[in-house]
Amino acid sequence: MTDTHIETAIQQVDAALASKRLPVVRTFFDEATFTATHVVHDPETMRAAVIDSVLDFDQPSGRTSHASADAVIDYVRAEGLTVDWLLETHAHADHLSDAPYIQKVLGGTLVIGSEIRTVQGVFAKIFNEPASFAQDGSQFDRLIEDGERFTLGGIDAIALHVPGHTPACMAYVIGDAVFVGDTLFMPDYGTARADFPGGDAGTLFRSIRRLMKLPDPTRVFLCHDYKAPNRDQFVWETTIGAEKTGNVHVHEGVNEDEFVSMREARDATLGMPRLILPSLQVNIRAGHMPEPEDNGVSYLKLPLNLL
């Protein structure tokens, strides 16, 4: 069965490389959460997207701030960009999104994959959300489907559903660049875990193999880097060719059974991400805090002995 969506993505990358109309990418790395936020724009029209923004959150005090987002905003303004899109690759478990703040200042349409509804359903039960919590994705401006096309100025883009880490993971192919969220890490670090609710190592393997059909020169931008052993710098950009030949978990020649066995054994040794409980309560709400209680204060829950 032909995967027409990946074929469209391949044609898009080839056309972008041939025309040399390539998006410009500027990355902001938040070392506290090891998160890369990407600002990508069309250099001819100056239309831009912000991908996977970060809300600064001090867990011991419960205080939030916007230094990371303000750096993005300052860059956008200095470069004279217009933000059309605020793209989330998935509902993150390791940082809180600051998309609503950036949207308030710069505008743009807030987008996530349509399977966010599945994630909302799972975590609404875990956090015992009230009946007023919508599980239909309506907190976001647009729910995007596998193969759905859009544009960034004059540059073609397509969304690809790449589940496995979570059911809702999306990769965004913009010109010759693909923004993969947590699906892949740098070749020397490997791949995302697949043991969160709704995750599946076999599904992750198939999603990665789908992405690896993109042309070798395709630029790959990651959501995280944790510094592999013997590497001193954080890095968040690679290529499909480098992932195919060098990814320590899923390079060419590794089959699905081998990957699943490795991934499940490795995941069994990993602790929960430090910010998973606050992050998911906020991120399933599109970056908004829970409704304030009668004293005007928003609260995040800490379910005991559940996860």
Side-chain angles (χ1 to χ4, degrees):
M1 182 174 175
T2 302
D3 184 343
T4 57
H5 301 325
I6 196 66
E7 291 298 326
T8 299
I10 292 168
Q11 293 168 12
Q12 174 189 297
V13 172
D14 284 340
L17 290 168
S19 69
K20 295 184 167 48
R21 184 164 186 178
L22 308 177
V24 174
V25 182
R26 169 74 158 86
T27 300
F28 297 80
F29 191 76
D30 176 51
E31 193 167 338
T33 61
F34 307 104
T35 302
T37 297
H38 306 291
V39 181
V40 52
H41 77 268
D42 174 5
E44 292 189 20
T45 66
M46 307 302 279
R47 313 301 289 198
V50 178
I51 303 175
D52 292 334
S53 61
V54 173
L55 173 68
D56 300 297
F57 177 61
D58 181 65
Q59 190 169 18
S61 68
R63 293 192 175 276
T64 62
S65 59
H66 302 288
S68 294
D70 283 336
V72 170
I73 290 166
D74 289 347
Y75 168 78
V76 167
R77 286 173 166 167
E79 294 296 312
L81 307 179
T82 299
V83 173
D84 289 337
W85 304 105
L86 299 162
L87 304 176
E88 297 286 345
T89 55
H90 63 296
H92 309 276
D94 36 31
H95 72 272
L96 286 66
S97 170
D98 210 6
Y101 174 75
I102 294 176
Q103 185 179 49
K104 184 177 180 180
V105 177
L106 297 176
T109 299
L110 179 52
V111 178
I112 201 167
S114 62
E115 284 298 316
I116 187 62
R117 293 172 293 207
T118 300
V119 177
Q120 288 175 328
V122 169
F123 285 98
K125 294 182 177 67
I126 289 173
F127 294 116
N128 196 30
E129 295 288 356
S132 60
F133 172 69
Q135 300 176 37
D136 58 1
S138 57
Q139 300 89 343
F140 299 83
D141 298 324
R142 177 171 170 180
L143 302 185
I144 203 162
E145 302 283 351
D146 183 44
E148 197 166 337
R149 302 178 73 178
F150 59 104
T151 59
L152 185 68
I155 296 177
D156 289 331
I158 186 171
L160 298 175
H161 187 212
V162 287
H165 174 60
T166 80
C169 288
M170 301 298 292
Y172 300 102
V173 186
I174 302 175
D176 73 318
V178 58
F179 300 85
V180 298
D182 289 9
T183 303
L184 282 166
F185 297 140
M186 288 300 294
D188 61 359
Y189 199 87
T191 58
R193 63 194 298 169
D195 60 333
F196 293 154
D200 180 78
T203 302
L204 178 61
F205 177 86
R206 293 188 291 275
S207 291
I208 291 169
R209 285 288 180 252
R210 188 184 195 208
L211 289 174
M212 285 182 173
K213 292 179 182 178
L214 293 169
D216 285 358
T218 305
R219 291 182 288 164
V220 177
F221 291 90
L222 315 173
C223 187
H224 295 286
D225 185 54
Y226 302 98
K227 287 185 184 173
N230 303 315
R231 175 156 55 82
D232 295 329
Q233 293 182 321
F234 291 109
V235 189
W236 46 78
E237 180 182 352
T238 182
T239 66
I240 288 294
E243 293 283 16
K244 286 165 62 175
T245 59
N247 188 287
V248 294
H249 292 167
V250 71
H251 58 79
E252 290 178 321
V254 174
N255 65 39
E256 183 172 339
D257 289 343
E258 291 169 334
F259 176 80
V260 169
S261 177
M262 177 282 302
R263 189 68 265 172
E264 291 181 348
R266 180 176 173 82
D267 289 350
T269 70
L270 300 177
M272 296 294 268
R274 179 175 60 89
L275 294 180
I276 184 171
L277 295 175
S279 293
L280 284 166
Q281 289 173 81
V282 170
N283 293 337
I284 60 176
R285 290 176 163 86
H288 295 282
M289 295 294 168
E291 287 295 317
E293 298 192 8
D294 56 10
N295 62 355
V297 177
S298 294
Y299 291 86
L300 296 171
K301 293 181 178 180
L302 184 65
L304 300 178
N305 304 314
L306 181 61
L307 297 178

